[in-house]
Amino acid sequence: MELRHLSGFVAVAEELHFGRAAERLHIAQSPLSQQIRLLERDLGVTLFERTTRSVRLTAAGQALLEPARHLLAEASAVRRTVQAAHLGEVGRVTIGFAGASSYSVLPVLTRAVTSELPGIELVLEGQTYAGEALGRIAEGSLDVGFVALPVRRGISTRVVRMERLMIALPDSHPLAQRVDVSFSDLAHEPFVTFPVSRGSAVRDATVQACHEAGFAPRIVQEAPDSYNLLALVGAGVGLAVVVESARAIRLEHVVFRPLAGDDVPVLPIALGWRTGNPSAALKAVLRVAERVLPTPPGYDG
């Protein structure tokens, strides 16, 4: 039983409701009609009932249709895998991520890679903040990660998202009634942030913006990820400066307000990888990323 015969069978079966199959099968010497007859002879069954006016699937044909579709899909996957191996698009790529920015773009990348590069295994390592990601990329224990700019020498980057900072606060807080909030309004507030030891770009931007507003932030607790950070906000432990993507995380008793002013930090979020990394798998993933995660229009960095 040849795959091309199965392919012809499926093509005819799927055309039945368009009314084209009868005409194609009634041309006895057509390549498609010959494929169907060879398949019927090989299986020892009749797959189509043919009359002068119509064609319909027999019980045997109906029983074959779904398995045939499955076999053709499997064969297509095998073909893509072999072609990927021929092109060097096989192997493992480790991706470090953390925070709401990567949560919003990582699924786009992983879905595209899984679909287009079946020979590549993606290993996703969460809670890998920008500073830690840079160190691991440089030492070779991470292939690619979401990083903040600027980066050290030897790291290549491409910006995939621009993130404006916002303030997350309990819905019962007086500032929650404001349309927007300035950093100077936060001088006496408790803050919850990401860990200082992990190199969070959002934490660094928060501290710098507070200093520029004339005060040092009073950090009362740290959280390992965006969900836990916002849970602390909802519990009334403190306020948190977050990126705009964090609004997609919906928790009770947490509201988001824009930060006032024309100088509110906007963080460029980039993919970073070691310059000169010879991995063909990494290069293939980066090609997909360039298509599905383009640099935002207007970025002039």
Side-chain angles (χ1 to χ4, degrees), residues 19-40:
R20 297 195 297 263
E23 179 181 350
R24 298 179 72 181
L25 283 183
H26 282 143
I27 303 175
Q29 300 306 313
S30 71
L32 182 59
S33 182
Q34 292 178 15
Q35 286 180 18
I36 298 299
R37 292 188 183 280
L38 287 171
L39 181 61
E40 289 178 324

Side-chain angles (χ1 to χ4, degrees), residues 16 18 133 177 255:
L16 283 176
F18 290 116
Q177 307 307 313
V255 298

Side-chain angles (χ1 to χ4, degrees), residues 40-158:
E40 289 178 324
R41 186 173 66 186
D42 187 34
L43 294 173
V45 300
T46 299
L47 298 173
F48 294 96
E49 288 185 0
R50 306 164 177 85
T51 70
T52 57
R53 296 184 177 181
S54 66
V55 173
R56 68 184 183 89
L57 283 170
T58 63
Q62 292 172 353
L64 176 62
L65 185 55
E66 283 307 313
R69 285 171 173 159
H70 179 73
L71 283 172
L72 291 172
E74 290 291 326
S76 178
V78 169
R79 186 179 296 110
R80 290 197 304 270
T81 300
V82 172
Q83 291 172 343
H86 175 69
L87 297 172
E89 296 173 347
V90 294
R92 173 181 293 189
V93 174
T94 54
I95 302 178
F97 68 98
S101 295
S102 56
Y103 299 162
S104 63
V105 296
L106 183 62
V108 177
L109 177 59
T110 56
R111 283 197 297 265
V113 170
T114 300
S115 173
E116 300 176 28
L117 303 172
I120 291 179
E121 176 189 2
L122 295 181
V123 180
L124 307 181
E125 302 195 9
Q127 296 188 17
T128 306
Y129 291 90
E132 181 181 2
L134 285 174
R136 292 189 56 194
I137 291 169
E139 71 183 18
S141 64
L142 194 69
D143 291 312
V144 62
F146 291 91
V147 302
L149 303 181
V151 297
R152 66 181 71 181
R153 188 173 183 178
I155 303 294
S156 297
T157 61
R158 187 175 61 79

